Amino acid sequence: MRIDIITAVPNLLESPLNHSILKRAQDNGFIEVVIHNLREYGLGNYKQIDDTQFGGGAGMVLMIEPIANCLDKLISERKYDEIIYMTPDAKTLNQSTANSLSLKENLIILTGHYKGIDQRIRDKYITKEISIGDYVLTGGELAAAVLIDAVVRLIPGVIGDEQSALTDSFQDNLLSPPVYTRPADYKGMLVPEILLSGNFPKIEEWRTEKAYERTKKIRPDLLED
Ligand code: ADE
């Protein structure tokens, strides 16, 4: 998978992309991530990328030309499955969206800043808009990092134990059951007997039951879906 990210603040993406699993996914050739600095497409001597909004109102808006020029260049080079815009005024990211994006070949992720981007970019180019939750971040970069993490870990081979991606919370619309590791007795706090029993069908049953209990208590809305 190739992911092109268009951003006015490339540095914000450096740490999340260059450590741990996302770094390994790139080193091992599962993904190629290319970051495009919007400033390089800015207008005039000052490389302007934002301007005040028509009709008045606080906040700067990312201009149409720098973004369009960057997108036109990328689109002329290869076919993209989705051109995604990270924005709080969109549908919220969920596991099902992450699953379907993990099957794509080429993605563009555009991150906004300030008051947002000129609506004409959204009308002409964007095929999918994604929010990571009902709150407003200072920009879309951290949201893009969240999206990329959620998607890339689903690509077969990226995380060592494939089973562990398939049994995540949300893969079956349930939260995960509790997990424990050694010691079995920590100052009198015991691990549930069943997990030490070696009876794997019973353990599975217990885990499913706990997953339902937890979901019902914390996220009953998931059971309604
Ligand atoms: N940009 C700013 N806030 C955001 C959010 N909640 N999700 C996605 N992109 C954003």
Side-chain angles (χ1 to χ4, degrees), residues 85-91 110-114 130-144:
Y85 173 48
M86 303 308 300
T87 177
D89 49 4
K91 281 217 172 124
L110 172 63
T111 63
H113 246 267
Y114 319 109
I130 297 178
S131 163
I132 63 159
D134 291 339
Y135 42 82
V136 181
L137 304 169
T138 54
E141 286 78 11
L142 298 179

Coordinates of all heavy atoms in Angstrom, one line a residue, residues 85-91 110-114 130-144, ligand 1:
Y85 N -10.0 13.2 3.3 CA -9.8 14.5 4.0 C -10.1 14.3 5.5 O -11.2 13.8 5.8 CB -10.7 15.6 3.4 CG -10.7 16.9 4.1 CD1 -9.4 17.5 4.5 CD2 -11.8 17.6 4.5 CE1 -9.4 18.7 5.2 CE2 -11.8 18.8 5.1 CZ -10.6 19.3 5.5 OH -10.6 20.5 6.3
M86 N -9.2 14.6 6.3 CA -9.4 14.4 7.8 C -10.1 15.7 8.3 O -9.5 16.8 8.1 CB -8.1 14.2 8.5 CG -7.2 13.0 8.1 SD -8.1 11.5 8.0 CE -8.6 11.3 9.7
T87 N -11.2 15.6 8.9 CA -12.0 16.8 9.3 C -13.0 16.4 10.4 O -13.5 15.3 10.3 CB -12.7 17.4 8.1 OG1 -13.5 18.5 8.6 CG2 -13.6 16.5 7.4
P88 N -13.2 17.2 11.4 CA -14.2 16.9 12.4 C -15.6 16.8 11.9 O -16.5 16.2 12.5 CB -14.0 17.9 13.5 CG -13.3 19.1 12.8 CD -12.5 18.5 11.7
D89 N -15.9 17.5 10.8 CA -17.3 17.5 10.3 C -17.5 16.4 9.3 O -17.7 16.7 8.1 CB -17.7 18.9 9.8 CG -16.7 19.5 8.8 OD1 -15.7 18.9 8.5 OD2 -17.0 20.6 8.3
A90 N -17.3 15.2 9.7 CA -17.4 14.0 8.9 C -17.9 12.8 9.7 O -18.0 12.9 10.9 CB -16.1 13.7 8.2
K91 N -18.1 11.7 9.0 CA -18.5 10.5 9.7 C -17.3 10.0 10.6 O -16.2 10.2 10.2 CB -18.8 9.4 8.7 CG -20.2 9.5 8.2 CD -20.8 8.1 8.0 CE -22.3 8.2 7.6 NZ -22.6 7.5 6.4
L110 N -5.4 14.0 3.0 CA -5.2 15.5 3.1 C -5.6 15.9 4.5 O -6.6 15.5 5.0 CB -6.1 16.1 2.1 CG -6.2 17.6 2.1 CD1 -4.9 18.3 1.8 CD2 -7.3 18.1 1.1
T111 N -4.7 16.7 5.1 CA -4.9 17.1 6.5 C -5.2 18.6 6.5 O -4.4 19.4 5.8 CB -3.8 16.8 7.4 OG1 -2.6 17.5 7.0 CG2 -3.5 15.3 7.5
G112 N -6.2 19.1 7.2 CA -6.5 20.5 7.2 C -5.9 21.2 8.4 O -5.2 20.6 9.2
H113 N -6.0 22.5 8.4 CA -5.5 23.3 9.5 C -6.3 24.5 9.6 O -7.1 24.8 8.7 CB -4.0 23.7 9.3 CG -3.1 23.0 10.3 ND1 -2.7 23.6 11.4 CD2 -2.6 21.8 10.3 CE1 -2.0 22.8 12.1 NE2 -1.9 21.7 11.5
Y114 N -6.1 25.3 10.6 CA -6.9 26.6 10.8 C -8.4 26.3 10.7 O -8.9 25.4 11.4 CB -6.4 27.6 9.7 CG -4.9 27.6 9.5 CD1 -4.4 27.1 8.4 CD2 -4.1 28.0 10.6 CE1 -3.0 27.1 8.2 CE2 -2.7 28.0 10.4 CZ -2.2 27.5 9.2 OH -0.8 27.5 9.0
I130 N -13.2 11.8 6.8 CA -13.1 11.0 8.1 C -12.8 11.9 9.3 O -11.9 12.7 9.2 CB -12.1 9.9 8.0 CG1 -12.4 8.9 6.8 CG2 -11.9 9.2 9.3 CD1 -11.4 7.8 6.6
S131 N -13.6 11.8 10.3 CA -13.3 12.4 11.6 C -12.9 11.2 12.5 O -13.3 10.1 12.4 CB -14.6 13.0 12.2 OG -14.5 13.2 13.6
I132 N -12.0 11.6 13.5 CA -11.6 10.5 14.5 C -12.4 10.7 15.8 O -12.2 9.9 16.7 CB -10.1 10.4 14.7 CG1 -9.6 11.7 15.4 CG2 -9.4 10.1 13.5 CD1 -8.3 11.5 16.1
G133 N -13.3 11.6 15.8 CA -14.2 11.7 17.0 C -14.8 13.1 17.1 O -14.4 14.0 16.4
D134 N -15.7 13.2 18.0 CA -16.5 14.5 18.1 C -15.8 15.5 19.0 O -16.3 15.8 20.1 CB -17.9 14.2 18.6 CG -18.7 13.5 17.6 OD1 -18.4 13.5 16.4 OD2 -19.7 12.8 18.0
Y135 N -14.6 15.9 18.6 CA -13.9 17.0 19.3 C -13.0 17.6 18.2 O -12.8 17.0 17.1 CB -13.0 16.4 20.4 CG -12.3 15.1 20.0 CD1 -11.2 15.1 19.2 CD2 -12.9 13.9 20.3 CE1 -10.6 13.9 18.8 CE2 -12.3 12.7 19.9 CZ -11.2 12.7 19.2 OH -10.6 11.5 18.7
V136 N -12.5 18.8 18.4 CA -11.7 19.5 17.4 C -10.2 19.5 17.8 O -9.9 20.0 18.8 CB -12.2 20.9 17.1 CG1 -11.5 21.6 16.0 CG2 -13.7 20.8 16.8
L137 N -9.4 19.0 16.9 CA -7.9 19.1 17.0 C -7.4 20.3 16.4 O -8.1 21.0 15.6 CB -7.3 17.8 16.4 CG -7.8 16.5 16.9 CD1 -7.2 15.4 16.0 CD2 -7.3 16.3 18.3
T138 N -6.2 20.7 16.6 CA -5.6 21.9 16.0 C -5.3 21.7 14.5 O -5.2 22.6 13.7 CB -4.3 22.3 16.6 OG1 -3.4 21.2 16.7 CG2 -4.5 22.8 18.1
G139 N -5.2 20.4 14.1 CA -5.0 20.1 12.7 C -5.3 18.6 12.4 O -5.6 17.9 13.4
G140 N -5.3 18.2 11.2 CA -5.7 16.8 10.9 C -4.5 15.9 10.9 O -4.7 14.7 10.7
E141 N -3.3 16.3 11.3 CA -2.1 15.4 11.2 C -2.2 14.3 12.2 O -2.0 13.1 11.9 CB -0.8 16.2 11.4 CG -0.4 17.1 10.3 CD -1.2 18.4 10.2 OE1 -1.9 18.7 11.1 OE2 -1.0 19.0 9.1
L142 N -2.6 14.6 13.5 CA -2.7 13.5 14.5 C -3.8 12.6 14.1 O -3.7 11.4 14.3 CB -2.8 14.1 15.9 CG -1.7 15.0 16.3 CD1 -1.9 15.5 17.7 CD2 -0.4 14.2 16.3
A143 N -4.9 13.2 13.6 CA -6.0 12.3 13.1 C -5.5 11.4 12.0 O -5.9 10.2 12.0 CB -7.2 13.2 12.6
A144 N -4.7 11.9 11.1 CA -4.2 11.1 10.0 C -3.3 10.0 10.5 O -3.4 8.8 10.1 CB -3.4 11.9 9.0
Ligands
ADE1 N1 -9.1 17.8 12.3 C1 -9.4 18.5 13.4 N2 -10.2 17.7 14.3 C2 -10.3 16.5 13.7 C3 -11.0 15.3 14.1 N3 -11.7 15.2 15.2 N4 -11.0 14.3 13.2 C4 -10.3 14.4 12.0 N5 -9.6 15.5 11.6 C5 -9.6 16.6 12.5

